[in-house]
Amino acid sequence: MSTFSAPRGTYDLIPPESADYLAVREAIAAPLRRAGYGYIETPGFENVELFARGVGESTDIVTKEMYTLTTKGGSRLALRPEGTAPVVRAVLEHNLHRGALPVKVWYSGSQYRYERPQAGRYRHFSQVGAEALGAEDPALDAELIILAVDAYRSLGLRNFRLLLNSLGDRECRPVYRAALQDFLRGLDLDEDTRARVEINPLRVLDDKREAVQKQLAGAPMMPDHLCEACKEYHEQVRGLLTAAGVEFEDDEKLVRGLDYYTRTTFEFVHDGLGSQSAVGGGGRYDGLSEMIGGPPLPSVGWALGVDRTVLALRAEGVELPQPSRTQVFAVPLGEEARRALFGVVTELRRQGIATDFAYGGRGLKNGMKSANRSGAAYAVVAGERDLAEGVVQVKNLDSGEQVPVPLDGVVAELRRNLA
Ligand code: AMP
């Protein structure tokens, strides 16, 4: 132990478990690449106002959870708490929206939120996200949802559910919002919640507390207030999902934590995760571009949590294939053998064979222990006597069989054996 440990609410990804995180990121990215999404990377911090305006002044993320700082130059920055507002900012800044639409991009990276840490909830976590900007088409909403489902399935995840709702648009949402406010004002709520009724009443539906949930029976619900256009749009999304074999549950209380969502809203939940059950979520955000000073740009996207996807896989006992493990392990005995075998190791690696080496000159016994621990199929051992005869010993670590092979032919011989 050093004097330091990882800050509260954060953890280190270390081998071998860290391989699962890479595999999850890769599995989520693969279907996106096949669907024409290009990779985008934005800075880890942004002007704090981007999130205040883009995510919403009344959200927990902006009011409580942002890591903010003032630079020596006086700029007010925030560590990125989510990926969508930065992506929209970047798309507008580089005028991607003036080209072919929709602009389809995906990202992978760290997010920072000052939350109360618990299992599955961290202050530093990672997401893979996808955004399709500049088109209003139910097929685009369906495409993104299907790509997320395909990613989960490709990982072998089974016990996840898709919750689906529509939050209406700027025509019907304000009418619904007012009706909901009327209803909520008549309830017995604490001061904080009453304040929320005035600023962001939809979030009250999301309140997990029993005392609040009990009073919500009979509350007006968004699906009953959708305008014709939103209703038709939502029906089309549902139809496309069903046709693609994607099951979903209609969840009229699904509002999610970010202000910018309109129409299609969805969340993926996993039942093996306890209270932090959301593994991913997203929706349509037709007004976000305008909120941050851009033109109208109807868009849809999602972010899937990498940490919780790994936890969900573990909860289901899914083992991900491990990355290429060592195939050959070289054990030199003495200075001359070290030079000769180091050359063999380098050449094997250049030829695509995963190879490792017994560093530190710790002798035959320790070297062979390391070779066995590495999981390699073959060990290459050489001492002074071998080299004097121009050979090295190639040992099959499964059968224990050992044969001398000419030093200058050992790379070819191992390639043949491993083919
Ligand atoms: P959000 O950006 O809040 O819509 O979250 C999208 C996904 O990111 C969630 O479904 C989680 O899987 C993941 N996520 C959000 N917040 C956290 C957190 N504090 N710790 C770990 N994962 C998180």
Side-chain angles (χ1 to χ4, degrees), residues 96-109:
L96 301 186
H97 61 297
R98 301 245 168 93
L101 296 177
V103 177
K104 301 209 282 188
V105 288
W106 72 276
Y107 61 86
S108 172

Side-chain angles (χ1 to χ4, degrees), residues 16 25 36 60 77 113 127 131 149 161 192 226 236 253 301 305 316 322 326 376 392 401:
R25 290 188 186 116
D60 284 352
L77 302 176
R113 294 183 195 170
Q127 292 179 334
E131 318 284 354
V149 169
R161 292 180 291 130
D192 273 1
L226 291 178
Q236 286 200 41
K253 282 191 184 161
E316 286 192 26
Q322 287 302 299
T326 304
V392 297
E401 184 195 0

Side-chain angles (χ1 to χ4, degrees), residues 177-198:
R177 190 176 183 275
L180 181 63
Q181 265 174 335
D182 272 353
F183 175 88
L184 295 173
R185 285 183 189 126
L187 303 184
D188 176 22
L189 301 168
D190 60 88
E191 196 180 329
D192 273 1
T193 313
R194 280 206 308 274
R196 185 170 290 163
V197 169
E198 300 311 318

Side-chain angles (χ1 to χ4, degrees), residues 195-334:
R196 185 170 290 163
V197 169
E198 300 311 318
I199 311 166
N200 196 346
L202 271 70
R203 285 302 313 280
V204 179
L205 297 178
D206 215 14
D207 199 313
K208 302 277 184 290
R209 289 171 299 176
E210 175 78 31
V212 177
Q213 279 302 325
K214 254 197 340 232
Q215 299 186 66
L216 291 178
M221 285 297 164
M222 191 68 234
D224 306 321
H225 289 73
L226 291 178
C227 63
E228 278 312 310
C230 285
K231 224 182 269 178
E232 164 65 16
Y233 194 97
H234 198 53
E235 277 316 308
Q236 286 200 41
V237 175
R238 297 172 85 253
L240 289 163
L241 292 178
T242 304
V246 170
E247 286 176 22
F248 55 85
E249 297 168 25
D250 293 307
D251 181 351
E252 58 186 16
K253 282 191 184 161
L254 181 70
V255 297
R256 298 180 38 76
L258 291 72
D259 265 0
Y260 51 57
Y261 286 112
T262 49
R263 289 196 169 171
T264 313
T265 309
F266 52 91
E267 193 154 86
F268 293 98
V269 293
H270 192 277
D271 296 323
L273 294 185
S275 68
Q276 301 305 309
S277 62
V279 288
R284 185 156 270 286
Y285 50 92
D286 292 343
L288 175 55
S289 167
E290 287 154 281
M291 282 186 220
I292 62 168
L297 199 65
S299 306
V300 55
W302 48 242
L304 310 187
V306 174
D307 310 73
R308 285 190 204 162
T309 302
V310 170
L311 291 175
L313 288 164
R314 295 205 180 128
E316 286 192 26
V318 177
E319 298 237 351
L320 295 175
Q322 287 302 299
S324 77
R325 45 161 220 190
T326 304
Q327 296 168 284
V328 176
F329 199 98
V331 181
L333 306 170

